[in-house]
Amino acid sequence: MKYMVNAVRKAAAASLVGAAGLLLTACGGGDEASQQSVSTAQGLEQATAAKGERQVARKLLRRYAKKGVTSMALSADGTVVAVARADGKVRVLDTGNGADVSKFSIDIGTVATGIVINNTSNYLAVVGRDSEVHVFDYASGKKLLTLNGHEHPIRNIAQSPDGSLIATVGEETRVMVWRAATGKLAKVFSGHAGFVNSVAFSPDGTLLASGDAAGRILVWNVATGKLVYTLRGHADEVNDLAFRPDGKVLASAGVDGQVLLWDLSQGVRTQAFSGHKASVRSVAFNADGSVLASGGEDGQIFVWNMASGQLDKQLSATTAAVNALLFDSKNKNLLFAGNDDNRLVRWNVASGVGR
């Protein structure tokens, strides 16, 4: 981070020196005219470089903005959803009626930014602004492990379909992959140019996608650690990622208000959904991949028909940002939406009714 700030300062200083040179050469004549032309070009080039560095620095330094409900995770049997909140607490809710059925009290003492429940529902893992991965026994809420490795706050967490691996990302350029059973660090993927906001495993567990503040999505081979694709299409930060259930398509949500679809057989963008008037914070596919939902910073949820590629419904229960979206694993029309105002809304995307 210090390197980036120094780079910005040096580039800005260079542009000022170039500008001063223009003033001096403007007073002369003859051969100095050509020098003035060269100085002008250099000054413009340096000023442009400085602007670019400042823009990158702003993206790297953008503060975590989520409040209220920040993340959600569904149990393996689909009966409960675990909710992580900005107050650091975790609650467990019944998916059928939304009632709080928590049998324990978990508070990580800082903003909780992500949560997963493993596939056998014997533990849950929570990450937050303290740079640690907190692992708890699902039945009792007892702390089992604390995974240390990140040097800065963590922004997201994902688990492999078989529950054997956990991936975490945050306010640094690395993606860390942990062995869930032991808490040992298994792999570190490097290559991002800014903070990493989102991470997701493919349904078969072979790929891992991560989206960063520079607007790039990196797709990794989990087994080899090799970079498979670098996907570019967003004009600003990538906020969230979701694989279609068949694993062939990746959806990305961005600060630029776009929802993009990527063909993972070729690593190319196939579709761009436009309509959001604000940053898109969350995205999720339903169980059969026929519907994609995207949640905006303005509280709007768009429901996209994947067959037609058209907007099917627009849902809104609040003006608070939609931080997290999660479809039920059994009922393809049941969508959970977690918002900045600490509300969890259960939507029927077929009828458009929320409660």
Side-chain angles (χ1 to χ4, degrees):
M1 188 63 67
K2 290 181 179 177
Y3 172 79
M4 178 59 70
V5 173
N6 288 336
V8 172
R9 288 174 177 169
K10 288 178 180 178
S15 64
L16 290 174
V17 171
L22 294 182
L23 291 174
L24 291 173
T25 54
C27 298
D31 291 339
E32 294 181 356
S34 61
Q35 295 175 357
Q36 179 179 352
S37 177
V38 171
S39 298
T40 300
Q42 290 176 340
L44 289 173
E45 182 179 351
Q46 290 164 346
T48 301
K51 181 180 179 181
E53 295 286 0
R54 286 194 295 270
Q55 289 174 339
V56 172
R58 279 198 296 271
K59 290 179 181 179
L60 288 171
L61 294 167
R62 183 172 285 168
R63 296 182 63 184
Y64 184 83
K66 292 182 180 179
K67 304 174 183 176
V69 175
T70 60
S71 181
M72 298 180 292
L74 196 66
S75 63
D77 60 8
T79 59
V80 299
V81 57
V83 178
R85 306 189 312 203
D87 62 4
K89 297 178 181 178
V90 173
R91 306 308 298 164
V92 178
L93 309 178
D94 186 289
T95 55
N97 55 26
D100 192 328
V101 293
S102 303
K103 297 178 182 179
F104 47 73
S105 178
I106 291 177
D107 186 345
I108 66 170
T110 186
V111 176
T113 58
I115 188 169
V116 295
I117 304 176
N118 89 317
N119 63 333
T120 57
S121 294
N122 59 2
Y123 76 81
L124 61 83
V126 188
V127 294
R129 303 289 296 161
D130 59 356
S131 77
E132 296 179 339
V133 183
H134 307 267
V135 183
F136 300 89
D137 180 87
Y138 179 74
S140 65
K142 181 182 178 181
K143 187 75 167 286
L144 299 176
L145 295 168
T146 299
L147 313 185
N148 293 294
H150 284 280
E151 297 177 354
H152 302 282
I154 304 174
R155 291 196 170 189
N156 211 329
I157 184 172
Q159 71 165 338
S160 60
D162 65 1
S164 64
L165 298 173
I166 294 172
T168 53
V169 297
E171 295 177 11
E172 53 192 87
T173 59
R174 301 175 297 173
V175 179
M176 294 192 176
V177 181
W178 313 80
R179 298 200 182 282
T182 63
K184 301 295 185 181
L185 187 63
K187 292 182 173 69
V188 176
F189 300 154
S190 300
H192 281 285
F195 290 172
V196 189
N197 297 320
S198 53
V199 64
F201 280 96
S202 62
D204 64 1
T206 61
L207 298 177
L208 182 72
S210 47
D212 65 26
R216 300 190 312 164
I217 302 163
L218 304 187
V219 181
W220 312 87
N221 181 300
V222 176
T224 66
K226 291 184 178 180
L227 182 63
V228 180
Y229 299 121
T230 298
L231 309 178
R232 295 180 175 89
H234 285 284
D236 208 323
E237 295 196 36
V238 178
N239 281 332
D240 200 15
L241 298 167
F243 281 90
R244 200 169 68 185
D246 63 6
K248 296 179 180 179
V249 173
L250 178 70
S252 58
V255 171
D256 58 6
Q258 291 194 96
V259 177
L260 305 181
L261 298 185
W262 306 89
D263 177 357
L264 294 177
S265 66
Q266 304 177 67
V268 296
R269 188 182 73 182
T270 57
Q271 204 156 6
F273 293 151
S274 300
H276 281 281
K277 296 180 180 179
S279 169
V280 187
R281 286 195 178 182
S282 50
V283 65
F285 282 101
N286 71 343
D288 65 3
S290 61
V291 167
L292 176 70
S294 53
E297 204 168 78
D298 57 0
Q300 299 297 309
I301 299 173
F302 286 6
V303 180
W304 307 93
N305 184 304
M306 293 302 293
S308 65
Q310 300 297 313
L311 180 63
D312 185 50
K313 287 184 177 63
Q314 187 171 345
L315 313 174
S316 179
T318 174
T319 57
V322 183
N323 294 325
L325 290 172
L326 177 68
F327 273 98
D328 186 77
S329 58
K330 298 177 180 178
N331 183 350
K332 69 176 184 179
N333 293 319
L334 178 57
L335 174 68
F336 301 94
N339 304 326
D340 247 6
D341 58 5
N342 226 19
R343 294 181 63 189
L344 180 67
V345 182
R346 299 165 67 251
W347 290 99
N348 183 314
V349 296
S351 65
V353 175
R355 54 191 174 90

